[in-house]
Amino acid sequence: MSAHAPTPEQTPPAQPLTPCAAPLLGRGWSAGLAGLALAWLGVMGAVGGLAAPVLFGLLERQQAGQVAGRLFALEAQGFCLLAVAMILMVAAKARRASEGQGQAAHRMPDSLLWLLGALMCTVLGHFALQPLMAQAKAGQDVGLSFGQLHGLSSVLFLVKALALAGFA
């Protein structure tokens, strides 16, 4: 039996991450975030493509609108929390990746732009358009009709879904 040191080809690569941390910080980390984005796309599809139409088919229009509005509000609030957490994770990963690479490496990753776009659509739709829609529905003049505001809100919801798909 010889007691010689292994050659570089025989030396296994260093494993800087523990098995528990690898899914969050290693290669599976990005896939996990993409999975979260896809799961949220499923939530959006369930609310906008399934629940809302069913509500309007089963309930009186005003009651269906109230329930659907509440579902969309919950979706928007939940997404704001999720998006901020995901943005912080993407930014932290980008910062770690650029450490020691100089000033040129400090560029915003494209994935962060997709998330910021989705978050901006949510903020505009929920916090800007929804209050205007409530005022228009109550008969107040807000410059646009309820139907026009609803159309803008629907477009923002679609753009948000496209931005999430772009991220994933």
Side-chain angles (χ1 to χ4, degrees):
M1 226 192 268
S2 69
H4 66 284
T7 64
E9 296 83 29
Q10 296 172 331
T11 305
Q15 299 279 330
L17 302 174
T18 65
C20 293
L24 292 176
L25 302 173
R27 280 181 235 133
W29 191 83
S30 294
L33 286 178
L36 281 175
L38 290 173
W40 203 265
L41 273 172
V43 169
M44 291 177 65
V47 170
L50 186 64
V54 167
L55 287 169
F56 280 95
L58 294 175
L59 301 174
E60 180 254 314
R61 187 176 178 92
Q62 184 179 9
Q63 188 179 22
Q66 288 174 340
V67 175
R70 182 66 181 134
L71 288 174
F72 281 106
L74 290 171
E75 184 278 328
Q77 293 163 1
F79 180 72
C80 284
L81 293 173
L82 178 67
V84 168
M86 290 172 69
I87 287 167
L88 291 174
M89 287 188 261
V90 169
K93 184 176 182 182
R95 190 188 77 240
R96 279 193 302 274
S98 68
E99 284 177 357
Q101 294 182 4
Q103 216 41 23
H106 290 260
R107 165 178 123 57
M108 184 182 304
D110 294 340
S111 58
L112 197 56
L113 295 175
W114 289 112
L115 282 174
L116 288 170
L119 181 59
M120 185 55 72
C121 287
T122 303
V123 168
L124 287 173
H126 181 64
F127 296 105
L129 287 181
Q130 291 303 322
L132 291 175
M133 288 172 66
Q135 291 172 351
K137 197 172 195 179
Q140 297 176 4
D141 183 23
V142 294
L144 295 172
S145 70
F146 174 81
Q148 291 169 324
L149 292 167
H150 189 278
L152 287 173
S153 180
S154 297
V155 167
L156 286 173
F157 195 75
L158 177 62
V159 171
K160 171 182 163 179
L162 293 173
L164 274 176
F167 172 80

